[in-house]
Amino acid sequence: MIVLDIGGTKIAIARWYNGELQDRMQIPMPASEPEWKKAMQSLARQYPEKDRLGVAVTGSTDGRTIKAINRNVISFWNDYPLAEFLEGEWRCPVSLLNDAQAAAWGEFVENAKQHRNLMFVTLSTGVGGGLVLDGELRVGHLGLAGHVGHVSSAIKPLDGDRTCGCGRLNCLETVASGTALARQATSLAGHAVDAVSVFAGFRAKEDLAVKIVTNSALAVAQLIADTHATLGIEHVCIGGSVGLAPGMVDAILSAQQAQPPLFRVPVQTAILREDAGLIGVGHWISHLARND
Ligand code: ADP
Ligand code: BMX
Ligand code: ZN
C-alpha cells in the first residue's frame, strides 16, 4: 500500500510495508488546483500502486469527498471528489481519513493501545484533532468528529477578535495554529514574522513571542480540560510542526497549572512525530482489512 498525508502546508508520501514506512518524502502543498493536480500526477508516477492508496487528509471527509472546514486553507476543496480523482491517477482503490483522526489511531496503536481514551491534537497549518474513545476511533457524522480547532476559545487571539475561515468567532485555530501564531506576531510586531521565528523568539525569551506562545498554550490547555469534561479523555498526544517545536509541549504543561487538578490530563509529544498521519492511516486500513 502507498500512504499519503495531505496537509495545508505539505504533502508526505511513503510505501507502507510490514507496518513500517519506506521511501518517505515530502513536497510543499501547492496553492492552486491545477498545480495540485500536477503534483499528484507526478507522485502517482513515482509511487505506482495496484493494491490500495491510504490518504490522511486535512478537512472533513465522508470517505469519497473532502471539504475544507477552514475555507482559507484549501479554497478549491468544497465537497471535492478527492477519492475519485486519486483513483483515476493511481488506478487502485483509495481510502480517505482525516489527518488528525489518522494520527490519533496511529498513536493509539503505537502506544500499545494502553490509553483507550486518547486525543491527538495537531498544531500545524490549522489545529486538528482525533479521538479514540473506549478503544475506537470516532469518525462522526461526515467525518467531523474531533475537529477541536473549531471549538470557540475563551482565550482570544492577541491581535483582536477573529472570524475563522469556518465562519465561527475566535476558534482555537485562530489562536494556536502556525498560521495564527504568524498572523498575531506579524500584526503586533508590525513586520512579517513566521511561526518558526515566533518559536526562536520564544526560546530566546523575547517578550512578544513569549506572550503569543503562552497565550496559545493556555488555549490548548483549556481545550484539553473542556474535552476531558465532555468525553473523559485520559491521554493527549501533541503533533504537527508547531506542536513538535521545542518548548511547545512544556508550555502546554505549564498552562495546565491554571486548571484544577481534575482537568490536567497527561500530555506528551506524539511518539510518531511528523509521521503520525502516514503511519496512522496505514494502521487504520490494515485494521479495517482484518475486521472485514
Ligand atoms: P501541515 O499543516 O501541512 O501538516 P505542518 O505540520 O508542517 O504541515 O505545519 C505547518 C505549520 O507549522 C506552518 O504554519 C509552519 O510555519 C509551521 N512550522 C513549520 N516548522 C516549524 C518549526 N520548526 N517551528 C514552529 N513552527 C513551524
Ligand atoms: C483544519 C481542518 C481539519 C484539519 C486541521 C489540521 C481544513 C482544510 N482542515 O482545522 O480538518 O484536521 O486543520 O490540518 O479545514 P493541517 O492542514 O494543519 O494539517
Ligand atoms: Zn473555525
Side-chain angles (χ1 to χ4, degrees), residues 5-10 57-61 66-74 77 98-101 122-129 143-144 146-150 164 166 173 177 179 240:
D5 183 352
I6 308 178
T9 300
K10 66 181 198 304
V57 60
T58 186
S60 73
T61 175
I66 186 82
K67 188 197 285 292
I69 302 299
N70 182 343
R71 294 299 309 280
N72 298 334
V73 180
I74 300 161
W77 278 5
N98 169 267
D99 53 359
Q101 292 175 353
T122 173
L123 305 172
S124 36
T125 310
V127 174
L144 203 64
H147 270 79
V148 295
H150 304 284
C164 177
C166 76
E173 189 156 304
S177 63
T179 312

Side-chain angles (χ1 to χ4, degrees), residues 125-249:
T125 310
V127 174
L131 294 163
V132 174
L133 299 176
D134 298 324
E136 289 188 20
L137 178 67
R138 312 317 302 201
V139 172
H141 182 57
L142 302 177
L144 203 64
H147 270 79
V148 295
H150 304 284
V151 168
S152 290
S153 174
I155 310 285
K156 297 182 177 185
L158 291 178
D159 57 344
D161 287 344
R162 172 86 26 188
T163 302
C164 177
C166 76
R168 306 195 73 210
L169 186 67
N170 295 339
C171 285
L172 177 62
E173 189 156 304
T174 67
V175 181
S177 63
T179 312
L181 298 182
R183 189 204 68 238
Q184 293 168 90
T186 298
S187 157
L188 296 171
H191 57 87
V193 185
D194 63 12
V196 176
S197 316
V198 171
F199 270 89
F202 173 68
R203 289 188 289 268
K205 299 193 173 21
E206 288 168 15
D207 261 8
L208 180 57
V210 169
K211 269 191 199 139
I212 291 172
V213 173
T214 306
N215 190 60
S216 126
L218 281 169
V220 175
Q222 191 184 56
L223 180 266
I224 292 169
D226 289 351
T227 312
H228 182 54
T230 315
L231 299 169
I233 49 166
E234 60 184 288
H235 195 79
V236 178
C237 304
I238 306 285
S241 290
V242 172
L244 296 173
M248 188 62 207
V249 167

